[in-house]
Amino acid sequence: MPELPEVETMRRGIAGLCGARIVAARFPQGTCRPLAIAPPPTEIAARLEGHRIVSVARFGKRVAIEVGREESAPHWLVIEPRMTGLLLVAEPPTPNHVRMELEVATGTGSSAGACQKLLFWDQRGLGTIRLLDARGLDRACGAAKLGPDGLVVTGSDLAERLGESRRGVKIALLDQRAVAGIGNIYAAEILHRAAIDPRTPCHAVAAGAWEAVARAAREILASAVAHEGSSIGDELYRTADNRKGGFQKLHRVYGLAGTPCQACGAPIERIVQAQRSTFFCATCQPRFRGRRRRGTSPKPRAERLAKLVRRSLGA
DNA sequence: CGTTCAACCTGGGCGC
DNA sequence: TGCGCCCAGGTTGAAC
């Protein structure tokens, strides 16, 4: 479920816990398979309890809760919600999918004592929890793993990282090393706004069109953050205080197959790319027909063929 | 290098 | 009512 806007909404929803002290950390086993968690729950609990929440950051689709004491090196509790994970400071949708429960004491000195619970709830259990030091954080969330954030990505960022790729542009936008935070919903919405067919090979996207894609990404993602993400139908995503997001009302293509495009009236289409649904308007996002954009070197294909030849000779 | 596929899971919706 | 199947916002690794 959660893409950049949903994860950013979760981050903001728990940022008020900065300064709070972690009194207890529990990782209930629940009825389903234990969540991917490292190091083991008892070790994480021991290293969290008594420490304060220093900051709450977001890296792509992950939330990183910085914890530490003055005299010890900081650590980050990195939570990756994947499909159904939620960070909550409210009652969970169901009691039995609570994967982590942090009891935190807010306030200091004489006003201390107000206790709150921070929960990680995950129905499907595909999410992950990791406690990392600075080096681990860089390995997991650094530039080698995640491209520029979708809220600030530029056309030249995209052209540089994807310009020579043969992949369809929609599939490429889901590559977190190219740009961090875009998922299946927002990739569709971004390409609709940028008026580009999702099947267009990246190498056929004009240099100027990358600017349009990047601008659409920044605008769509910022608007979705302002609307606290997308809660589709009665689906699971909620803000940290258990409200629905509002951006689903502004979707132009995602989940709207068969309905008329709001811009042109043509029916929205659904296709499958890389085993995932893609929604688009064939009229607003006209199919790319040429071979390759002007000025692009044919190197990738030539290199591929050369490699194939070498391989067949070698074998 | 790129693509495809399966796997990791639960649960809702649908057709029969 | 129940069963089987398909679908879902993400990521990873194996195989080709």
Side-chain angles (χ1 to χ4, degrees):
Chain A
M1 161 194 328
E3 307 179 26
L4 185 155
E6 292 76 28
V7 177
E8 174 62 16
T9 303
M10 290 179 204
R11 187 197 71 75
R12 294 181 182 190
I14 68 170
L17 297 177
C18 285
R21 191 167 47 86
I22 299 169
V23 176
R26 287 181 286 273
F27 299 88
Q29 287 304 305
T31 54
C32 6
R33 133 189 188 272
L35 200 68
I37 185 168
T42 50
E43 191 178 327
I44 294 194
R47 291 170 67 177
L48 289 181
E49 287 169 7
H51 288 234
R52 283 189 190 281
I53 294 176
V54 176
S55 68
V56 185
R58 177 183 58 78
F59 297 97
K61 302 174 187 173
R62 298 149 200 188
V63 170
I65 301 172
E66 182 187 358
V67 296
R69 278 198 274 237
E70 291 72 17
E71 71 274 17
S72 65
H75 280 69
W76 286 265
L77 188 64
V78 175
I79 294 172
E80 199 175 345
R82 298 273 176 102
M83 294 288 269
T84 53
L86 296 177
L87 282 168
L88 296 167
V89 289
E91 285 301 300
T94 63
N96 56 326
H97 299 94
V98 175
R99 313 302 182 138
M100 178 186 78
E101 184 177 313
L102 297 187
E103 217 171 285
V104 300
T106 52
T108 55
S110 56
S111 66
C115 250
Q116 279 195 63
K117 278 180 182 171
L118 169 60
L119 305 180
F120 181 59
W121 181 92
D122 186 2
Q123 182 180 76
R124 285 170 73 175
L126 300 175
T128 66
I129 298 175
R130 286 173 291 181
L131 185 66
L132 303 170
D133 59 14
R135 164 182 284 225
L137 182 73
D138 187 56
R139 257 202 306 260
C141 302
K145 209 72 176 223
L146 300 176
D149 194 76
L151 286 172
V152 296
V153 72
T154 66
S156 50
D157 286 334
L158 294 178
E160 182 184 317
R161 288 170 170 75
L162 301 176
E164 300 302 315
S165 168
R166 308 172 61 83
R167 288 181 290 180
V169 60
K170 186 263 190 171
I171 296 169
L173 286 178
L174 299 179
D175 183 345
Q176 301 299 298
R177 288 168 312 184
V179 48
I182 295 173
N184 213 33
I185 293 178
Y186 296 104
E189 296 298 327
I190 287 163
L191 289 175
H192 182 258
R193 174 170 296 207
I196 294 173
D197 186 300
R199 298 163 292 190
T200 312
C202 287
H203 64 65
V205 174
W210 286 118
E211 294 291 347
V213 174
R215 191 180 335 114
R218 295 191 304 265
E219 290 173 358
I220 294 260
L221 293 170
S223 174
V225 169
H227 288 83
E228 301 184 300
S230 300
S231 295
I232 294 165
D234 53 357
E235 284 286 353
L236 299 162
Y237 165 70
R238 293 292 185 277
T239 63
D241 56 347
N242 196 25
R243 289 172 297 107
K244 284 192 176 192
F247 192 73
Q248 67 280 0
K249 295 169 193 159
L250 299 179
H251 287 181
R252 294 298 188 94
V253 290
Y254 186 84
L256 297 173
T259 68
C261 172
Q262 292 171 44
C264 74
I268 301 300
E269 296 181 29
R270 174 187 180 272
I271 59 172
V272 173
Q273 288 182 285
Q275 284 71 53
R276 309 189 72 191
S277 292
T278 296
F279 298 90
F280 70 107
C281 170
T283 308
C284 294
Q285 300 165 260
R287 177 138 211 194
F288 170 75
R289 298 197 177 281
R291 262 266 134 66
R292 166 182 300 281
R293 73 167 179 269
R294 270 190 305 149
T296 304
S297 95
K299 226 162 98 184
R301 174 172 290 258
E303 278 178 0
R304 252 169 63 88
L305 289 174
K307 189 173 285 185
L308 276 175
V309 168
R310 275 198 305 273
R311 188 178 300 174
S312 63
L313 289 177

